[in-house]
Amino acid sequence: MSKILCVIDGMTDQSFRVNNYLNLSSMRLLRHIDTTQGQTPESLGCILRLLGTKKVPLHLRGYAEALGYGIHVNKNDLIFRGSWFSLDEQGRCNIPTPAPESIAEGEGYYYHLEQYKSLLVFPNMANCVADIVTYPPYACNGKDARTLCPKRCIAASRVFQSQLAENRCLILWGQSAPAKIAPFSQRAAVICGTPIVKGIAKLLNMDLIPLSGATGDIDTDLLEKMQATLNAAKNYPFVLLHINGADEAAHRKNPNEKTAFLRKVDMVVINSLLQSEHDIYVVSDHGTDPITGQHIGSRQPLFKNVSAKPI
Ligand SMILES: [Zn+2]
């Protein structure tokens, strides 16, 4: 019998009611978990804490992202996540907008990822990572884009300014440098489509199970993920299943899309997991508000199947 931890990214919000989900509501509410521990509510730190990492390095985001995408970085490189946002008529940050394939070359390297995401690598600048001030996109909603320029890193400021347009901007954030953290405590498999979680798997020495239909959004192949999870549970004592679509729907400020996806997860994934003999845990890394599009740092409910013994 294995332990399966199903992390539903951004599941909760003010209007989240467990009773709306048939299978989830049949589970037992074990407790509420402080996944942020005083830090900003974002998936990397919250998921690492759920997996038992005691001290999450402050400047890890961009590096974990590079690992997840298989982008090679050197130990002295400075790495940023870049998120493209549309601006409203007053020049305020609105919703994510597709990332361009390339931008004019500056001092660093620009990597187009998917959707609104990009990565920027500045060689040999890792030593200034602790001084830099940036504004993560989950805290940028409604803010004047001109106030969101990175501070104390001239190379990053130049990129921000060069990309600031009337209708869109490039938010540089998640400044980081390569770091090591203690591996996960047991043999573990990871089922996910989201690169940041692939990065977590590599950081913690967990085995990534290849999938063909995982997109990291609401169009992901939930059936494939569910089957891959149950298959992995035959060979691994611990399986992390990460499902990202609800967080993305909430970032798009689409409450109906978020709820519909959660219902699908409940029917396709949780229903099947609960019919297995494994210990099933369901939790969210943080909340995501589908009205504001922002993450919420509240304590997260941890659900456990009723048939197995409590931890
Ligand atoms: Zn998010």
Side-chain angles (χ1 to χ4, degrees):
M1 193 169 69
S2 299
K3 191 187 270 190
I4 297 174
L5 175 65
C6 175
V7 175
I8 302 178
D9 208 295
M11 174 172 69
T12 60
D13 55 59
Q14 292 87 333
S15 61
F16 174 82
R17 300 285 177 274
V18 68
N19 287 341
N20 289 339
Y21 307 99
L22 190 67
N23 298 291
L24 188 61
S25 61
S26 77
M27 299 179 78
R28 195 155 51 92
L29 173 62
L30 268 191
R31 58 176 180 268
H32 285 80
I33 301 182
D34 178 9
T35 57
T36 61
Q37 289 173 18
Q39 302 299 312
T40 48
E42 52 103 21
S43 296
L44 174 61
C46 293
I47 294 173
L48 282 172
R49 284 181 209 102
L50 284 170
L51 294 171
T53 299
K54 294 273 180 285
K55 205 164 169 13
V56 177
L58 266 182
H59 305 292
L60 194 64
R61 178 76 199 211
Y63 175 56
E65 208 85 57
L67 282 177
Y69 281 99
I71 294 171
H72 177 75
V73 291
N74 292 311
K75 68 175 180 9
N76 295 324
D77 289 351
L78 172 66
I79 309 145
F80 288 87
R81 259 297 310 280
S83 294
W84 293 86
F85 275 76
S86 66
L87 305 181
D88 67 14
E89 283 113 53
Q90 279 79 42
R92 294 177 305 210
C93 233
N94 193 11
I95 55 169
T97 191
E101 292 286 330
S102 62
I103 61 172
E105 285 292 324
E107 288 122 290
Y109 298 99
Y110 172 87
Y111 295 89
H112 168 259
L113 305 177
E114 87 276 10
Q115 298 164 345
Y116 58 93
K117 299 168 186 172
S118 63
L119 200 79
L120 292 104
V121 179
F122 297 93
N124 300 314
M125 289 180 64
N127 57 351
C128 59
V129 68
D131 299 328
I132 300 169
V133 178
T134 58
Y135 306 92
Y138 39 75
C140 288
N141 184 54
K143 302 233 170 89
D144 186 329
R146 290 167 300 183
T147 66
L148 303 173
C149 181
K151 296 193 172 61
R152 302 192 200 128
C153 177
I154 291 166
S157 307
R158 272 204 278 262
V159 171
F160 175 88
Q161 296 295 358
S162 71
Q163 299 307 315
L164 183 58
E166 203 175 302
N167 59 351
R168 73 172 185 190
C169 69
L170 170 60
I171 305 287
L172 288 102
W173 61 287
Q175 63 272 22
S176 75
K180 280 200 166 69
I181 51 180
F184 190 64
S185 55
Q186 53 189 324
R187 271 185 68 245
V190 178
I191 315 289
C192 70
T194 305
I196 191 64
V197 184
K198 292 181 183 173
I200 288 173
K202 289 183 183 169
L203 273 169
L204 297 182
N205 221 357
M206 301 162 96
D207 292 341
L208 258 177
I209 306 298
L211 302 168
S212 59
T215 63
D217 210 323
I218 59 163
D219 58 349
T220 200
D221 187 342
L222 288 174
L223 199 60
E224 182 195 31
K225 287 183 101 165
M226 180 274 292
Q227 283 162 346
T229 301
L230 291 174
N231 271 338
K234 291 177 193 158
N235 301 313
Y236 290 86
F238 183 91
V239 182
L240 169 66
L241 165 61
H242 177 261
I243 299 174
N244 198 50
D247 182 62
E248 298 295 342
H251 285 312
R252 290 191 285 269
K253 302 185 191 176
N254 192 331
N256 294 338
E257 192 180 74
K258 177 177 179 179
T259 308
F261 181 71
L262 287 176
R263 286 224 167 88
K264 207 168 144 193
V265 171
D266 186 69
M267 295 309 289
V268 175
V269 179
I270 299 176
N271 182 33
S272 299
L273 295 184
L274 291 180
Q275 287 174 41
S276 75
E277 76 279 21
H278 303 292
D279 278 341
I280 312 295
Y281 297 84
V282 177
V283 71
S284 185
D285 51 349
H286 52 70
T288 311
D289 188 333
I291 306 301
T292 64
Q294 293 188 349
H295 287 175
I296 308 164
S298 54
R299 295 167 90 88
Q300 295 302 313
L302 173 67
F303 299 95
K304 165 96 173 67
N305 53 344
V306 285
S307 54
K309 287 181 191 156
I311 49 170

